[in-house]
Coordinates of all heavy atoms in Angstrom, one line a residue:
M1 N -14.1 -2.5 7.1 CA -13.4 -3.4 6.2 C -12.0 -3.8 6.8 O -11.3 -3.0 7.3 CB -13.1 -2.6 4.9 CG -12.4 -3.3 3.8 SD -12.1 -2.4 2.3 CE -13.8 -2.0 1.8
D2 N -11.8 -5.1 6.6 CA -10.5 -5.6 7.2 C -9.4 -5.5 6.1 O -9.7 -5.3 4.9 CB -10.6 -6.9 7.8 CG -11.0 -8.0 6.8 OD1 -10.8 -7.9 5.6 OD2 -11.6 -9.0 7.3
I3 N -8.2 -5.8 6.5 CA -7.1 -5.6 5.5 C -7.2 -6.7 4.4 O -6.9 -6.3 3.2 CB -5.7 -5.8 6.3 CG1 -5.5 -4.7 7.3 CG2 -4.5 -5.8 5.3 CD1 -4.4 -4.9 8.3
S4 N -7.5 -7.9 4.7 CA -7.7 -8.9 3.7 C -8.7 -8.6 2.6 O -8.5 -8.8 1.4 CB -8.0 -10.3 4.3 OG -7.0 -10.8 5.0
A5 N -9.8 -8.0 3.1 CA -10.9 -7.7 2.2 C -10.4 -6.5 1.2 O -10.6 -6.6 0.0 CB -12.1 -7.2 2.9
L6 N -9.7 -5.6 1.8 CA -9.2 -4.5 1.0 C -8.1 -5.0 0.0 O -8.1 -4.6 -1.2 CB -8.6 -3.4 1.9 CG -8.1 -2.1 1.2 CD1 -9.2 -1.5 0.3 CD2 -7.6 -1.1 2.2
Q7 N -7.3 -5.8 0.5 CA -6.2 -6.4 -0.4 C -6.8 -7.2 -1.5 O -6.3 -7.1 -2.7 CB -5.2 -7.2 0.4 CG -4.0 -7.6 -0.4 CD -2.9 -8.3 0.4 OE1 -3.0 -8.4 1.6 NE2 -1.8 -8.6 -0.3
Q8 N -7.9 -7.8 -1.3 CA -8.6 -8.6 -2.3 C -9.2 -7.7 -3.4 O -9.1 -7.9 -4.6 CB -9.6 -9.5 -1.7 CG -10.3 -10.4 -2.7 CD -9.4 -11.4 -3.4 OE1 -8.4 -11.9 -2.8 NE2 -9.6 -11.6 -4.7
I9 N -9.8 -6.6 -2.9 CA -10.4 -5.6 -3.8 C -9.3 -5.0 -4.7 O -9.5 -4.9 -5.9 CB -11.1 -4.5 -3.1 CG1 -12.4 -5.0 -2.4 CG2 -11.4 -3.3 -4.0 CD1 -13.0 -4.1 -1.4
V10 N -8.2 -4.7 -4.1 CA -7.1 -4.1 -4.9 C -6.6 -5.2 -5.9 O -6.3 -4.9 -7.1 CB -5.9 -3.7 -3.9 CG1 -4.6 -3.4 -4.7 CG2 -6.3 -2.5 -3.1
K11 N -6.5 -6.4 -5.5 CA -6.1 -7.5 -6.4 C -7.0 -7.6 -7.6 O -6.6 -7.7 -8.7 CB -6.0 -8.8 -5.6 CG -5.4 -10.0 -6.4 CD -5.2 -11.2 -5.5 CE -4.2 -12.1 -6.2 NZ -3.8 -13.2 -5.3
E12 N -8.3 -7.7 -7.3 CA -9.3 -7.8 -8.4 C -9.3 -6.6 -9.3 O -9.4 -6.8 -10.5 CB -10.7 -7.9 -7.8 CG -10.9 -9.3 -7.1 CD -12.1 -9.3 -6.2 OE1 -12.9 -8.3 -6.2 OE2 -12.3 -10.3 -5.4
R13 N -9.0 -5.4 -8.8 CA -9.0 -4.3 -9.7 C -7.7 -4.0 -10.5 O -7.8 -3.6 -11.6 CB -9.3 -3.0 -8.9 CG -10.7 -2.9 -8.4 CD -11.0 -1.6 -7.8 NE -12.4 -1.6 -7.2 CZ -12.9 -0.5 -6.6 NH1 -12.2 0.6 -6.5 NH2 -14.1 -0.6 -6.1
Y14 N -6.6 -4.3 -9.8 CA -5.3 -3.8 -10.4 C -4.3 -4.9 -10.6 O -3.2 -4.6 -11.3 CB -4.7 -2.8 -9.4 CG -5.7 -1.7 -9.1 CD1 -6.1 -1.5 -7.8 CD2 -6.1 -0.8 -10.1 CE1 -7.0 -0.5 -7.4 CE2 -7.0 0.2 -9.7 CZ -7.4 0.4 -8.4 OH -8.3 1.4 -8.1
F15 N -4.5 -6.1 -10.2 CA -3.4 -7.1 -10.2 C -2.9 -7.3 -11.7 O -1.6 -7.4 -11.9 CB -3.8 -8.5 -9.6 CG -2.7 -9.4 -9.6 CD1 -1.7 -9.3 -8.6 CD2 -2.6 -10.5 -10.5 CE1 -0.6 -10.2 -8.6 CE2 -1.5 -11.3 -10.5 CZ -0.6 -11.2 -9.5
K16 N -3.8 -7.5 -12.6 CA -3.3 -7.9 -14.0 C -2.4 -6.8 -14.5 O -1.3 -7.0 -14.9 CB -4.5 -8.1 -14.9 CG -4.1 -8.5 -16.3 CD -5.4 -8.8 -17.1 CE -5.0 -9.4 -18.5 NZ -4.0 -8.6 -19.3
T17 N -2.9 -5.5 -14.4 CA -2.1 -4.4 -15.0 C -0.8 -4.2 -14.2 O 0.3 -4.1 -14.8 CB -2.9 -3.1 -14.9 OG1 -4.1 -3.3 -15.5 CG2 -2.2 -1.9 -15.4
D18 N -0.9 -4.3 -12.9 CA 0.3 -4.0 -12.1 C 1.3 -5.1 -12.1 O 2.5 -4.9 -12.2 CB -0.1 -3.7 -10.6 CG -0.9 -2.4 -10.4 OD1 -0.8 -1.6 -11.4 OD2 -1.5 -2.3 -9.4
S19 N 0.9 -6.4 -12.2 CA 1.8 -7.5 -12.3 C 2.5 -7.5 -13.7 O 3.7 -7.8 -13.8 CB 1.2 -8.8 -12.0 OG 0.2 -9.1 -12.9
E20 N 1.7 -7.1 -14.7 CA 2.3 -7.0 -16.0 C 3.4 -5.9 -16.1 O 4.4 -6.0 -16.8 CB 1.3 -6.8 -17.1 CG 0.5 -8.1 -17.4 CD -0.7 -7.9 -18.3 OE1 -1.0 -6.7 -18.7 OE2 -1.4 -8.9 -18.6
R21 N 3.1 -4.8 -15.4 CA 4.1 -3.7 -15.3 C 5.4 -4.1 -14.6 O 6.5 -3.7 -15.0 CB 3.5 -2.5 -14.6 CG 4.5 -1.3 -14.5 CD 3.9 -0.2 -13.6 NE 2.6 0.2 -14.0 CZ 1.5 0.0 -13.2 NH1 1.6 -0.6 -12.1 NH2 0.3 0.5 -13.6
G22 N 5.2 -5.0 -13.6 CA 6.4 -5.5 -12.9 C 6.6 -4.8 -11.6 O 6.1 -3.7 -11.4
I23 N 7.2 -5.5 -10.7 CA 7.4 -5.0 -9.3 C 8.2 -3.7 -9.3 O 7.9 -2.8 -8.5 CB 8.0 -6.1 -8.4 CG1 8.0 -5.6 -6.9 CG2 9.4 -6.4 -8.8 CD1 6.6 -5.6 -6.3
Y24 N 9.3 -3.6 -10.1 CA 10.2 -2.5 -10.0 C 9.4 -1.2 -10.4 O 9.4 -0.2 -9.7 CB 11.4 -2.7 -10.9 CG 12.3 -1.5 -11.0 CD1 13.1 -1.2 -9.9 CD2 12.3 -0.6 -12.1 CE1 13.9 0.0 -9.9 CE2 13.1 0.5 -12.1 CZ 13.9 0.8 -11.0 OH 14.7 1.9 -11.1
H25 N 8.7 -1.2 -11.6 CA 8.0 0.0 -12.0 C 6.8 0.3 -11.2 O 6.5 1.5 -11.0 CB 7.7 -0.1 -13.5 CG 8.9 0.0 -14.4 ND1 9.5 -1.1 -15.0 CD2 9.6 1.1 -14.8 CE1 10.6 -0.7 -15.6 NE2 10.7 0.6 -15.5
T26 N 6.2 -0.8 -10.6 CA 5.1 -0.5 -9.7 C 5.6 0.1 -8.4 O 4.9 1.0 -7.9 CB 4.3 -1.8 -9.5 OG1 3.9 -2.4 -10.7 CG2 3.1 -1.6 -8.5
A27 N 6.8 -0.3 -8.0 CA 7.4 0.4 -6.8 C 7.6 1.9 -7.1 O 7.5 2.7 -6.2 CB 8.6 -0.4 -6.4
L28 N 8.0 2.2 -8.3 CA 8.2 3.6 -8.6 C 6.9 4.4 -8.5 O 6.9 5.5 -8.0 CB 8.8 3.8 -10.1 CG 10.2 3.2 -10.3 CD1 10.6 3.4 -11.8 CD2 11.2 4.0 -9.4
W29 N 5.8 3.8 -8.9 CA 4.5 4.5 -8.7 C 4.2 4.7 -7.3 O 3.7 5.7 -6.8 CB 3.4 3.7 -9.4 CG 3.3 3.8 -10.9 CD1 3.9 3.0 -11.8 CD2 2.6 4.9 -11.6 NE1 3.6 3.5 -13.1 CE2 2.8 4.6 -13.0 CE3 1.8 5.9 -11.2 CZ2 2.2 5.4 -14.0 CZ3 1.3 6.8 -12.2 CH2 1.5 6.5 -13.5
F30 N 4.5 3.7 -6.5 CA 4.3 3.8 -5.0 C 5.1 4.9 -4.5 O 4.6 5.7 -3.7 CB 4.7 2.4 -4.4 CG 4.8 2.5 -2.9 CD1 3.6 2.5 -2.1 CD2 6.0 2.5 -2.2 CE1 3.7 2.6 -0.7 CE2 6.1 2.5 -0.8 CZ 4.9 2.6 -0.1
H31 N 6.4 5.0 -4.9 CA 7.2 6.1 -4.4 C 6.7 7.5 -4.8 O 6.8 8.4 -4.0 CB 8.7 5.9 -4.8 CG 9.4 4.8 -4.0 ND1 9.9 5.0 -2.8 CD2 9.6 3.5 -4.3 CE1 10.4 3.9 -2.4 NE2 10.2 2.9 -3.3
E32 N 6.2 7.5 -6.0 CA 5.6 8.8 -6.4 C 4.5 9.2 -5.5 O 4.3 10.4 -5.1 CB 5.1 8.7 -7.9 CG 4.5 10.0 -8.4 CD 4.1 9.9 -9.9 OE1 4.9 9.3 -10.6 OE2 3.1 10.5 -10.2
E33 N 3.6 8.2 -5.1 CA 2.5 8.5 -4.2 C 3.0 8.9 -2.8 O 2.4 9.8 -2.2 CB 1.5 7.4 -4.2 CG 0.8 7.1 -5.5 CD 0.0 8.2 -6.0 OE1 -0.3 9.1 -5.2 OE2 -0.4 8.1 -7.2
V34 N 4.0 8.3 -2.4 CA 4.6 8.7 -1.1 C 5.1 10.2 -1.1 O 4.9 10.9 -0.2 CB 5.8 7.8 -0.7 CG1 6.5 8.3 0.6 CG2 5.2 6.4 -0.4
G35 N 5.7 10.5 -2.3 CA 6.1 11.9 -2.5 C 4.9 12.9 -2.5 O 5.0 14.0 -1.9
E36 N 3.8 12.5 -3.1 CA 2.7 13.3 -3.1 C 2.1 13.5 -1.7 O 1.6 14.6 -1.3 CB 1.6 12.7 -4.1 CG 2.0 12.9 -5.5 CD 1.0 12.2 -6.5 OE1 0.0 11.6 -6.0 OE2 1.3 12.2 -7.7
L37 N 2.1 12.4 -1.0 CA 1.6 12.5 0.4 C 2.5 13.4 1.2 O 2.0 14.2 2.0 CB 1.6 11.1 1.0 CG 1.2 11.0 2.5 CD1 -0.1 11.6 2.8 CD2 1.3 9.6 3.1
S38 N 3.8 13.3 1.1 CA 4.7 14.1 1.8 C 4.5 15.6 1.5 O 4.5 16.5 2.4 CB 6.2 13.8 1.5 OG 6.4 12.4 1.9
S39 N 4.2 15.9 0.2 CA 3.9 17.3 -0.2 C 2.6 17.8 0.4 O 2.6 18.9 0.9 CB 3.8 17.4 -1.7 OG 5.1 17.1 -2.3
A40 N 1.6 16.9 0.4 CA 0.3 17.3 1.0 C 0.5 17.6 2.5 O -0.1 18.6 3.0 CB -0.7 16.2 0.8
I41 N 1.2 16.8 3.2 CA 1.5 17.0 4.6 C 2.2 18.3 4.8 O 1.9 19.1 5.7 CB 2.2 15.8 5.2 CG1 1.3 14.5 5.2 CG2 2.8 16.1 6.6 CD1 2.1 13.2 5.6
A42 N 3.3 18.5 4.0 CA 4.1 19.7 4.2 C 3.3 21.0 3.9 O 3.5 22.0 4.6 CB 5.3 19.6 3.2
S43 N 2.4 20.9 3.0 CA 1.6 22.1 2.7 C 0.4 22.3 3.6 O -0.2 23.4 3.6 CB 1.0 22.0 1.2 OG 0.0 21.0 1.2
G44 N 0.2 21.3 4.5 CA -0.9 21.4 5.4 C -2.3 21.2 4.8 O -3.3 21.6 5.4
D45 N -2.4 20.7 3.6 CA -3.6 20.5 2.9 C -4.2 19.1 3.3 O -3.9 18.1 2.8 CB -3.4 20.5 1.4 CG -4.7 20.4 0.6 OD1 -5.7 20.0 1.1 OD2 -4.6 20.7 -0.6
K46 N -5.1 19.2 4.3 CA -5.6 17.9 4.9 C -6.5 17.2 4.0 O -6.4 15.9 3.9 CB -6.4 18.3 6.2 CG -6.5 17.1 7.1 CD -7.0 17.5 8.5 CE -7.1 16.3 9.4 NZ -7.5 16.7 10.8
E47 N -7.2 17.9 3.1 CA -8.1 17.2 2.2 C -7.3 16.4 1.1 O -7.5 15.3 0.8 CB -9.0 18.1 1.5 CG -10.3 18.4 2.2 CD -11.1 17.1 2.5 OE1 -11.4 16.3 1.6 OE2 -11.4 16.8 3.7
N48 N -6.2 17.1 0.6 CA -5.4 16.4 -0.3 C -4.6 15.3 0.4 O -4.4 14.2 -0.2 CB -4.4 17.5 -0.9 CG -3.5 16.8 -2.0 OD1 -2.3 17.0 -2.0 ND2 -4.1 16.1 -2.9
A49 N -4.2 15.5 1.6 CA -3.4 14.4 2.3 C -4.3 13.2 2.5 O -3.8 12.1 2.3 CB -3.0 15.0 3.7
K50 N -5.6 13.4 2.7 CA -6.5 12.3 2.9 C -6.5 11.4 1.6 O -6.4 10.2 1.7 CB -7.9 12.8 3.2 CG -8.9 11.7 3.5 CD -10.2 12.3 4.1 CE -11.1 12.8 3.1 NZ -12.4 13.2 3.5
E51 N -6.6 12.1 0.5 CA -6.6 11.4 -0.8 C -5.2 10.7 -1.0 O -5.2 9.5 -1.5 CB -6.8 12.4 -2.0 CG -6.8 11.8 -3.3 CD -7.0 12.8 -4.4 OE1 -7.6 13.9 -4.2 OE2 -6.4 12.6 -5.5
E52 N -4.2 11.3 -0.7 CA -2.8 10.7 -0.9 C -2.6 9.6 0.1 O -1.9 8.6 -0.3 CB -1.7 11.8 -0.8 CG -1.8 12.9 -1.8 CD -1.8 12.4 -3.2 OE1 -1.4 11.3 -3.5 OE2 -2.3 13.2 -4.1
F53 N -3.1 9.6 1.3 CA -3.0 8.5 2.2 C -3.6 7.2 1.6 O -3.1 6.1 1.6 CB -3.7 8.8 3.6 CG -2.9 9.4 4.6 CD1 -3.2 10.7 5.0 CD2 -1.7 8.8 5.1 CE1 -2.4 11.3 6.0 CE2 -1.0 9.4 6.1 CZ -1.3 10.7 6.5
A54 N -4.8 7.5 0.9 CA -5.5 6.3 0.3 C -4.7 5.8 -0.9 O -4.5 4.6 -1.1 CB -6.9 6.8 -0.2
D55 N -4.1 6.8 -1.7 CA -3.3 6.3 -2.8 C -2.1 5.5 -2.4 O -1.8 4.4 -2.9 CB -2.7 7.6 -3.5 CG -3.7 8.3 -4.4 OD1 -4.8 7.7 -4.7 OD2 -3.4 9.4 -4.9
V56 N -1.4 5.9 -1.3 CA -0.3 5.2 -0.8 C -0.7 3.8 -0.3 O 0.0 2.8 -0.6 CB 0.4 6.0 0.3 CG1 1.4 5.1 1.1 CG2 1.1 7.2 -0.2
L57 N -1.8 3.7 0.4 CA -2.3 2.4 0.9 C -2.6 1.5 -0.3 O -2.2 0.3 -0.3 CB -3.5 2.6 1.8 CG -4.1 1.3 2.4 CD1 -3.1 0.6 3.2 CD2 -5.3 1.7 3.2
M58 N -3.3 2.0 -1.3 CA -3.6 1.1 -2.5 C -2.4 0.6 -3.2 O -2.3 -0.6 -3.5 CB -4.5 1.9 -3.5 CG -5.8 2.3 -3.0 SD -6.8 1.0 -2.3 CE -7.0 1.6 -0.7
W59 N -1.4 1.5 -3.4 CA -0.2 1.1 -4.1 C 0.6 0.1 -3.2 O 1.3 -0.8 -3.7 CB 0.7 2.3 -4.5 CG 0.1 2.9 -5.7 CD1 -0.7 4.0 -5.7 CD2 0.3 2.5 -7.0 NE1 -1.0 4.3 -7.0 CE2 -0.5 3.4 -7.9 CE3 1.0 1.5 -7.7 CZ2 -0.5 3.3 -9.2 CZ3 0.9 1.4 -9.0 CH2 0.2 2.3 -9.8
L60 N 0.6 0.3 -1.9 CA 1.3 -0.6 -1.0 C 0.7 -2.0 -1.1 O 1.4 -3.0 -1.2 CB 1.2 -0.1 0.5 CG 1.8 -1.0 1.6 CD1 3.3 -1.0 1.4 CD2 1.4 -0.5 2.9
L61 N -0.7 -2.0 -1.1 CA -1.3 -3.3 -1.2 C -1.1 -4.0 -2.6 O -1.0 -5.2 -2.7 CB -2.8 -3.2 -0.9 CG -3.2 -2.8 0.5 CD1 -4.6 -2.5 0.7 CD2 -2.8 -3.9 1.5
T62 N -1.0 -3.2 -3.6 CA -0.7 -3.8 -4.9 C 0.7 -4.4 -5.0 O 0.9 -5.4 -5.6 CB -1.1 -2.8 -6.1 OG1 -1.5 -3.6 -7.2 CG2 0.1 -2.0 -6.5
L63 N 1.6 -3.7 -4.3 CA 3.0 -4.3 -4.2 C 2.9 -5.6 -3.5 O 3.6 -6.6 -3.9 CB 3.9 -3.3 -3.5 CG 4.3 -2.1 -4.4 CD1 5.1 -1.1 -3.5 CD2 5.1 -2.5 -5.6
A64 N 2.2 -5.6 -2.4 CA 2.1 -6.9 -1.6 C 1.5 -8.0 -2.4 O 1.9 -9.1 -2.4 CB 1.3 -6.6 -0.3
N65 N 0.5 -7.6 -3.2 CA -0.2 -8.6 -4.1 C 0.8 -9.2 -5.1 O 0.9 -10.4 -5.3 CB -1.4 -8.0 -4.8 CG -2.6 -7.9 -3.9 OD1 -2.7 -8.7 -3.0 ND2 -3.4 -7.0 -4.2
I66 N 1.6 -8.3 -5.7 CA 2.6 -8.8 -6.7 C 3.6 -9.7 -6.0 O 4.0 -10.8 -6.6 CB 3.3 -7.6 -7.4 CG1 2.3 -6.8 -8.2 CG2 4.5 -8.1 -8.2 CD1 2.9 -5.5 -8.8
M67 N 4.0 -9.4 -4.8 CA 5.0 -10.2 -4.1 C 4.3 -11.4 -3.3 O 5.0 -12.1 -2.5 CB 5.8 -9.3 -3.2 CG 6.7 -8.4 -4.0 SD 8.0 -7.6 -3.1 CE 9.1 -9.1 -2.9
E68 N 3.0 -11.5 -3.4 CA 2.3 -12.6 -2.7 C 2.4 -12.5 -1.2 O 2.7 -13.5 -0.5 CB 2.6 -13.9 -3.3 CG 2.3 -14.1 -4.8 CD 2.7 -15.5 -5.3 OE1 3.5 -16.2 -4.7 OE2 2.2 -15.8 -6.4
V69 N 2.4 -11.3 -0.7 CA 2.5 -11.1 0.8 C 1.0 -10.8 1.3 O 0.3 -9.9 0.8 CB 3.4 -9.9 1.1 CG1 3.3 -9.5 2.6 CG2 4.8 -10.2 0.7
D70 N 0.6 -11.6 2.2 CA -0.7 -11.5 2.9 C -0.5 -10.4 4.0 O 0.1 -10.6 5.0 CB -1.1 -12.8 3.5 CG -2.4 -12.7 4.3 OD1 -2.8 -11.6 4.7 OD2 -3.0 -13.8 4.6
M71 N -1.0 -9.2 3.7 CA -0.8 -8.1 4.6 C -1.5 -8.2 6.0 O -1.0 -7.7 7.0 CB -1.2 -6.8 3.9 CG -0.2 -6.3 2.9 SD 1.5 -6.1 3.5 CE 1.2 -4.7 4.6
E72 N -2.6 -8.9 6.0 CA -3.3 -9.2 7.2 C -2.3 -10.0 8.1 O -2.1 -9.7 9.3 CB -4.6 -9.9 7.0 CG -5.3 -10.2 8.3 CD -6.6 -9.4 8.4 OE1 -7.1 -8.8 7.4 OE2 -7.2 -9.3 9.5
A73 N -1.7 -11.0 7.6 CA -0.8 -11.9 8.3 C 0.5 -11.1 8.7 O 1.0 -11.2 9.8 CB -0.4 -13.1 7.5
A74 N 0.9 -10.2 7.8 CA 2.2 -9.5 8.0 C 1.9 -8.5 9.2 O 2.8 -8.3 10.0 CB 2.6 -8.7 6.7
V75 N 0.8 -7.9 9.2 CA 0.5 -6.9 10.3 C 0.3 -7.6 11.6 O 0.8 -7.2 12.6 CB -0.8 -6.1 9.9 CG1 -1.3 -5.3 11.1 CG2 -0.5 -5.1 8.7
A76 N -0.3 -8.8 11.6 CA -0.5 -9.6 12.8 C 0.8 -10.0 13.4 O 1.1 -9.9 14.6 CB -1.4 -10.8 12.5
E77 N 1.7 -10.4 12.5 CA 3.1 -10.8 12.9 C 3.8 -9.5 13.5 O 4.5 -9.6 14.5 CB 3.9 -11.3 11.7 CG 4.2 -12.7 11.7 CD 5.0 -13.2 10.5 OE1 6.1 -12.7 10.3 OE2 4.4 -13.9 9.7
Y78 N 3.7 -8.4 12.8 CA 4.3 -7.2 13.3 C 3.8 -6.9 14.7 O 4.6 -6.6 15.6 CB 3.9 -6.0 12.3 CG 4.6 -4.7 12.7 CD1 5.8 -4.3 12.2 CD2 3.9 -3.9 13.7 CE1 6.3 -3.1 12.6 CE2 4.5 -2.7 14.0 CZ 5.7 -2.3 13.5 OH 6.2 -1.1 13.9
L79 N 2.5 -6.9 14.9 CA 2.0 -6.5 16.2 C 2.3 -7.5 17.3 O 2.4 -7.2 18.5 CB 0.4 -6.4 16.1 CG -0.1 -5.3 15.2 CD1 -1.6 -5.3 15.1 CD2 0.4 -3.9 15.8
A80 N 2.6 -8.8 16.9 CA 2.9 -9.8 17.9 C 4.4 -9.8 18.2 O 4.9 -10.4 19.2 CB 2.6 -11.2 17.3
N81 N 5.2 -9.1 17.4 CA 6.6 -9.0 17.6 C 6.9 -8.0 18.8 O 6.7 -6.8 18.7 CB 7.3 -8.5 16.3 CG 8.8 -8.5 16.4 OD1 9.4 -8.4 17.5 ND2 9.5 -8.6 15.3
S82 N 7.4 -8.6 19.9 CA 7.7 -7.8 21.1 C 8.7 -6.6 20.9 O 8.6 -5.6 21.5 CB 8.1 -8.6 22.2 OG 9.3 -9.3 21.9
R83 N 9.6 -6.9 19.9 CA 10.6 -5.8 19.6 C 9.9 -4.6 19.0 O 10.4 -3.5 19.2 CB 11.7 -6.3 18.6 CG 12.7 -7.2 19.3 CD 13.9 -7.5 18.3 NE 13.4 -8.0 17.1 CZ 13.6 -7.4 15.9 NH1 14.3 -6.3 15.8 NH2 13.2 -7.9 14.8
K84 N 8.8 -4.8 18.3 CA 8.1 -3.7 17.7 C 6.9 -3.2 18.5 O 6.2 -2.3 18.0 CB 7.7 -4.1 16.3 CG 8.8 -4.4 15.3 CD 8.4 -4.9 14.0 CE 9.6 -5.3 13.1 NZ 9.2 -5.9 11.9
N85 N 6.7 -3.8 19.6 CA 5.6 -3.4 20.5 C 6.1 -3.1 21.9 O 6.2 -4.0 22.7 CB 4.6 -4.5 20.5 CG 3.3 -4.1 21.2 OD1 3.2 -3.1 21.8 ND2 2.4 -5.0 21.2
P86 N 6.4 -1.8 22.1 CA 6.9 -1.5 23.4 C 6.0 -1.8 24.6 O 6.4 -1.9 25.8 CB 7.1 0.0 23.4 CG 6.5 0.5 22.1 CD 6.1 -0.7 21.3
A87 N 4.7 -2.1 24.4 CA 3.8 -2.4 25.4 C 4.0 -3.8 26.0 O 3.6 -4.2 27.1 CB 2.3 -2.3 25.0
K88 N 4.7 -4.6 25.2 CA 5.0 -6.0 25.7 C 6.2 -6.1 26.5 O 7.1 -5.4 26.4 CB 5.1 -7.0 24.4 CG 3.7 -7.2 23.8 CD 3.8 -8.3 22.9 CE 2.4 -8.8 22.5 NZ 2.4 -9.9 21.6
Ligands
MG1 MG1 -1.7 10.7 -5.5

């Protein structure tokens, strides 16, 4: 699955609810998931960390949807940026 396809699935499932909640409160949910991921990593619970990695990714993509950011393009730009790519 590519990033665009995943972002589209997230949009179809969550955009209405998340956009109605608004970017600020949706960002708070994202931060909560980042905290849960950090706790899972700190505790060494790999199974829980796996679930939390997915939670963080979904909330990241929903934030991108609300802000109309194409993450596939954003990642491509990031990788093409020589400042962020020491191999270049
Ligand atoms: Mg979670």
Side-chain angles (χ1 to χ4, degrees):
M1 179 180 299
D2 62 27
I3 296 170
S4 288
L6 181 57
Q7 187 168 1
Q8 184 60 35
I9 290 168
V10 170
K11 188 172 197 171
E12 288 164 8
R13 288 189 185 181
Y14 308 114
F15 183 78
K16 186 178 184 310
T17 304
D18 292 342
S19 63
E20 286 174 357
R21 180 187 307 110
I23 190 71
Y24 177 75
H25 288 100
T26 301
L28 292 179
W29 281 94
F30 170 73
H31 284 280
E32 181 175 319
E33 293 301 343
V34 171
E36 289 175 1
L37 174 59
S38 298
S39 293
I41 291 169
S43 70
D45 184 343
K46 200 167 181 177
E47 271 307 304
N48 184 228
K50 187 168 80 174
E51 180 183 330
E52 299 304 339
F53 273 117
D55 283 348
V56 168
L57 181 57
M58 298 304 121
W59 284 98
L60 177 69
L61 291 173
T62 212
L63 288 173
N65 283 334
I66 292 170
M67 295 196 70
E68 298 179 344
V69 171
D70 177 341
M71 285 303 294
E72 181 110 14
V75 169
E77 251 179 66
Y78 180 95
L79 293 174
N81 183 334
S82 59
R83 283 188 306 118
K84 296 176 181 176
N85 185 354
K88 286 193 168 186

